[in-house]
């Protein structure tokens, strides 16, 4: 018999493969008939196939058995291959975080070249409603008002949050804004009152910057001793109503389609950053905005007194005297501006979400916020550290 047979059991990315090679199936037995030769060949072939099956089983058993001789290098290689698979990290975040988040996205993708970070900026309330009302999935939720996470998401959609950055409300403008050479912290509300001046603020039903703009305007009345500031700027130019009960002011919001802003005086958009282009093109002269956004866009701005700009814990009791009731009945209380972040329970990539937040909380991440005019809270704080993922808890 001049037949050669080779069988090889191999491993390839966790799968056993078998290779059978018959180099020559010509058998020479002069005294045996062809029928017998065919039977012998058939028997040999079946035997070889059975042997191959047993060997494959052995390969698989060896791979799966803890006591096998497969070295740790093979296992590590397989794990590395799995971690190198392409992944998408989804982030819903407040519009005012757009620029720092874009910078963090670039840094994160450099560290994790297999990950595509996809961001969706919007008003913070609108971001959360995507999760709670529209059943959309995201790996990270970052809000311009940390209190929205416990009030709108907990405990059904998450059980933790981190407060990681601060901000304040300013009145932004450009050199081309009417009366730009006159405006300042002592007369900005009088400038906005002038008939030929237009200004903007975001929709309080959708965006924290919007309801904070309303709160700042109402707080201004006590600080400047002028009881008509809110009515002159907002009350008479929208359908927003302000009520007073036992020393607490409450702005009552109609449904968004019924706010009815006087478009000759006020521009209102769902997200505060949408007003930036209107200021740049001269469609409006001024708008209420976060200091960080004004810095990022190179706008000039009036820095308001801390008693009304919602920046300081020292004046939290004063801020608490103003509230806003959204169209869906939620009550928002005036508080210092603090940003919050969490990983929703329905996250598709929670491990990557943790890694991104670790970058955000790192010195590198803190510098991103500092350079963009938004002071980070160092270390980040939370109400219940026990629910925070362990890797993040170590950074608090």
């Amino acid at each position: 018999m001049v037949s050669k047979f080779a069988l090889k059991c191999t491993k390839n990315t966790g799968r056993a493969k078998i290779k059978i090679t018959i180099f020559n199936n010509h058998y020479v037995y002069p005294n045996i008939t062809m029928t017998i030769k065919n039977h012998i060949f058939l028997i040999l072939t079946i035997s070889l196939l059975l042997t191959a099956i047993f060997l494959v089983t052995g390969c698989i058993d060896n791979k799966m058995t803890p006591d096998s001789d497969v070295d740790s290098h093979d296992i590590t290689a397989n794990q590395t291959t799995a971690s190198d698979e392409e992944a998408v990290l989804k982030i819903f975040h407040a519009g005012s975080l757009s620029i720092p988040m874009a910078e963090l996205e670039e840094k994160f993708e450099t560290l994790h070249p297999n990950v595509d970070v996809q961001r969706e900026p919007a008003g913070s309330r609108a971001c959360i409603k995507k999760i709670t009302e529209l059943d959309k999935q995201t790996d990270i939720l970052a809000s311009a008002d940390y209190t929205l996470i416990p009030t709108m998401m907990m405990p059904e959609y998450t059980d933790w949050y981190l407060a990681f950055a601060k901000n304040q409300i300013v009145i932004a403008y450009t050199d081309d804004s009417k009366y730009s050479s006159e405006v300042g912290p002592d007369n900005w509300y009088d400038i906005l009152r002038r008939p030929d001046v237009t200004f903007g603020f975001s929709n309080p039903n959708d965006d924290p910057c919007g309801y904070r703009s309303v709160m700042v305007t109402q707080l201004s009345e006590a600080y400047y001793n002028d009881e008509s500031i809110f009515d002159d700027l907002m009350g008479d130019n929208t359908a927003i109503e302000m009520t007073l009960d036992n020393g607490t002011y409450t702005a009552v919001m109609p449904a968004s389609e019924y706010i009815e802003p006087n478009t000759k005086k006020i521009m209102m958009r769902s997200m505060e950053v949408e007003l930036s282009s209107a200021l740049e093109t001269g469609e409006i002269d001024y708008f209420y905005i976060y200091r960080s956004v004004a810095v990022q866009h190179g706008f000039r701005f009036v820095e308001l007194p801390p008693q009304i700009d919602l920046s300081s814990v020292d004046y939290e009791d004063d801020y608490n005297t103003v509230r806003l009731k959204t169209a869906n009945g939620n009550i928002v209380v005036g508080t210092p501006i603090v940003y919050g972040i969490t990983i929703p329970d329905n996250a598709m990539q929670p491990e990557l979400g943790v890694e991104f937040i670790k970058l955000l909380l790192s010195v590198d991440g803190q510098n991103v916020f500092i350079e963009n005019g938004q002071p980070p809270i160092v270390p980040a704080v939370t109400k219940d550290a026990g629910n925070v993922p362990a890797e993040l808890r170590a950074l608090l």
Side-chain angles (χ1 to χ4, degrees), residues 269-310:
R269 295 291 184 268
S270 178
M271 188 168 57
E272 83 281 345
V273 294
E274 296 178 55
L275 297 166
S276 298
S277 59
L279 181 65
E280 291 169 339
T281 59
E283 294 179 75
I284 54 176
D285 297 302
Y286 299 86
F287 77 114
Y288 293 75
I289 190 61
Y290 295 118
R291 185 183 188 278
S292 63
V293 177
V295 170
Q296 293 158 18
H297 287 271
F299 295 142
R300 299 182 66 181
F301 57 90
V302 177
E303 195 151 1
L304 304 175
Q307 291 89 336
I308 67 173
D309 72 354
L310 304 178

Side-chain angles (χ1 to χ4, degrees), residues 232-257:
D232 289 347
L233 297 185
M234 296 182 177
D236 294 344
N237 292 297
T238 70
I240 303 172
E241 296 182 2
M242 186 68 70
T243 66
L244 175 61
D245 181 25
N246 198 27
T248 298
Y249 290 91
T250 302
V252 181
M253 291 297 304
S256 295
E257 60 269 29

